[in-house]
Amino acid sequence: MESTSRKAMHVVAARPLFLSKDLAESTAKSQMAVEKMVEGRLRKYYEKVALMEQKFVKNNAINIKAMNIEIFHAIPQTMVDNLSKEVGSPVKFVNFLRIEVGEGTK
């Protein structure tokens, strides 16, 4: 009896939708739900690790890509223009290096 009671408490707390994975897979609705969950989790992952997908720290309503500004504003535009003239084509930043003081020390 105690086992049944514990299972019932688990069902109330965990709120499962299906008895088994097989039953969950048999519904078309569950496939759509899984796709949405995966899509949402991937979006959140990329917002965490990809600079251009991250929310701007001063205004989290927009992401860096949508800001339409030069991310590397610390580099004077004249230097970029001069380098573009020197190499004969437009210069575009495609990568960056982030260094954190104390990273990896114990």
Side-chain angles (χ1 to χ4, degrees), residues 5-103:
S5 177
R6 290 193 321 212
K7 287 178 185 172
M9 287 190 320
H10 176 85
V11 168
V12 170
R15 300 170 49 186
L17 298 177
F18 302 97
L19 178 64
S20 69
K21 180 181 171 187
D22 294 335
L23 290 173
E25 289 175 347
S26 68
T27 65
K29 188 175 184 180
S30 71
Q31 183 62 31
M32 289 174 48
V34 168
E35 288 174 11
K36 291 279 186 186
M37 287 173 25
V38 169
E39 183 180 303
R41 288 182 182 175
L42 281 173
R43 181 180 36 74
K44 285 185 183 267
Y45 172 76
Y46 290 132
E47 285 176 358
K48 183 177 179 181
V49 300
L51 174 65
M52 298 306 283
E53 302 303 320
Q54 289 178 342
K55 301 292 184 189
F56 183 52
V57 294
K58 290 189 174 187
N59 180 357
N60 67 0
I62 57 175
N63 64 12
I64 297 295
K65 182 172 31 178
M67 290 176 62
N68 199 23
I69 62 169
E70 180 57 57
I71 299 300
F72 302 96
H73 63 278
I75 300 172
Q77 187 61 42
T78 53
M79 287 178 67
V80 175
D81 292 342
N82 290 341
L83 184 57
S84 294
K85 289 176 186 173
E86 188 177 319
V87 297
S89 63
V91 173
K92 179 180 177 183
F93 292 98
V94 295
N95 207 345
F96 69 96
L97 173 64
R98 180 185 154 274
I99 300 173
E100 183 174 327
V101 176
E103 188 173 4

